[in-house]
Amino acid sequence: MESLDIHEFMKFLRSEECGGSAVTMPHKIAICSRLDDLTQEGREIGACNTVILRKNAKGERILVGHNTDSVGVRESLLREDDTHAKSGKIRPGAVLGAGGACRAAVYALNKWLGCSPIYVVNRDREESLAFIKAFKNSASETFNPELIHVETVEEAEKLDSPAYIVSAVPAFPPTSPEEKQARAVSQVLFDKPEKGVILEMCYHPDIWTELAQIAKDAGWKVVTGEQAMIWQGIEQQLLWLGCELADLPVQEILDAVSKQVQSDKETGKEPPLE
């Protein structure tokens, strides 16, 4: 079932026919309050892209919100280059944007990839501050990331180079003064002597974006966005089916998604808003 009607969707979720569900933008935050419980990841990230079925102490079936987007970020970056994460060292990370996808990115960068502080680069100052405030309000003993809003080139020039960057902004050339300033700040981070890996989350209409090319030209390793989509989806399957990674035809999945992304580019078809 695919639905934009939240009431019909919740009715279906609670029926015996449903074995779990994905939740796409712009519903990942709103869905949280309608579920029976959240996993630790869902609670700390503050957004859920996955609904799994569990039983409570009374044996009753309950709906639990979880977030696998963070796994998509983690796996796609680690599979490209895990040198920093394995080093045991702490280096900064960065997110370009301050929307829902960046919540999961912050979690992955801080919780699993050894990144602190995390720079927030975004065209909208108020959105960035609200993004940072949301994490402060939901901070816990196990997850309390240090976030720094980087607004100007001068501020960026004083910062250490990030090890990993996650970009979750639309693949349009910057036109407004705010967009151009955010791009200039990003360029300063790319141009720092110590390079790293960037995950460009945008993969439609083309998996290779202008930002990806800019990062590559500056010496960064680039991971394209369909990789994060694949690995978060694989994690969903593991949860829904209760199986192990070895049980899934991973290479077939990679090949099928690659083929579909290319087809979508040629036909102009919109992919799921994952």
Side-chain angles (χ1 to χ4, degrees), residues 153-200:
V153 165
E154 291 73 21
E155 291 171 347
E157 289 172 342
K158 298 175 183 177
L159 300 173
D160 292 333
S161 175
Y164 297 111
I165 296 176
V166 178
S167 174
V169 296
F172 302 118
T175 55
S176 71
E178 294 81 7
E179 290 170 342
K180 291 179 180 179
Q181 180 166 294
R183 177 61 62 84
V185 170
S186 302
Q187 187 70 62
V188 171
L189 297 181
F190 294 147
D191 289 341
K192 289 183 179 293
E194 198 168 7
K195 308 300 181 180
V197 187
I198 178 173
L199 168 61
E200 165 58 297

Side-chain angles (χ1 to χ4, degrees), residues 2 4 81 97 127 195:
E2 189 170 330
L4 294 175
D81 189 339
E127 184 181 46
K195 308 300 181 180

Side-chain angles (χ1 to χ4, degrees), residues 9-27:
F9 178 67
M10 291 306 303
K11 182 179 177 181
F12 182 74
L13 270 186
R14 295 195 179 279
S15 74
E16 292 296 328
E17 297 178 63
C18 182
S21 177
V23 181
T24 60
M25 291 298 291
H27 309 291

Side-chain angles (χ1 to χ4, degrees), residues 124-134 149:
D124 188 320
R125 185 174 190 274
E126 293 306 315
E127 184 181 46
S128 299
L129 296 179
F131 180 80
I132 293 172
K133 184 178 179 180
H149 178 217

Side-chain angles (χ1 to χ4, degrees), residues 199-247:
L199 168 61
E200 165 58 297
M201 294 285 280
C202 188
Y203 59 88
H204 183 80
D206 197 338
I207 61 172
W208 192 257
T209 67
E210 178 182 290
L211 188 71
Q213 188 63 50
I214 290 171
K216 182 180 180 181
D217 290 344
W220 283 68
K221 295 181 179 179
V222 179
V223 183
T224 48
E226 87 285 0
Q227 294 300 309
M229 186 262 287
I230 289 169
W231 289 107
Q232 69 80 24
I234 287 175
E235 182 70 8
Q236 287 179 324
Q237 299 301 318
L238 300 180
L239 291 166
W240 291 330
L241 302 176
C243 61
E244 301 294 330
L245 186 62
D247 298 324

Side-chain angles (χ1 to χ4, degrees), residues 59-126:
E60 299 167 329
R61 169 182 159 121
I62 61 172
L63 302 176
V64 180
H66 185 60
N67 192 299
T68 66
D69 286 332
S70 58
V71 174
V73 172
R74 181 190 72 194
E75 290 302 305
S76 53
L77 286 171
L78 287 181
R79 288 170 187 275
E80 177 63 33
D81 189 339
D82 62 0
T83 304
H84 167 67
K86 281 187 173 181
S87 72
K89 298 178 181 178
I90 302 296
R91 276 181 61 190
V95 293
L96 310 184
C102 288
R103 289 173 178 259
V106 167
Y107 189 86
L109 291 170
N110 184 251
K111 193 92 170 183
W112 294 318
L113 299 178
C115 293
S116 184
I118 296 173
Y119 311 142
V120 179
V121 182
N122 187 44
R123 64 184 176 182
D124 188 320
R125 185 174 190 274
E126 293 306 315

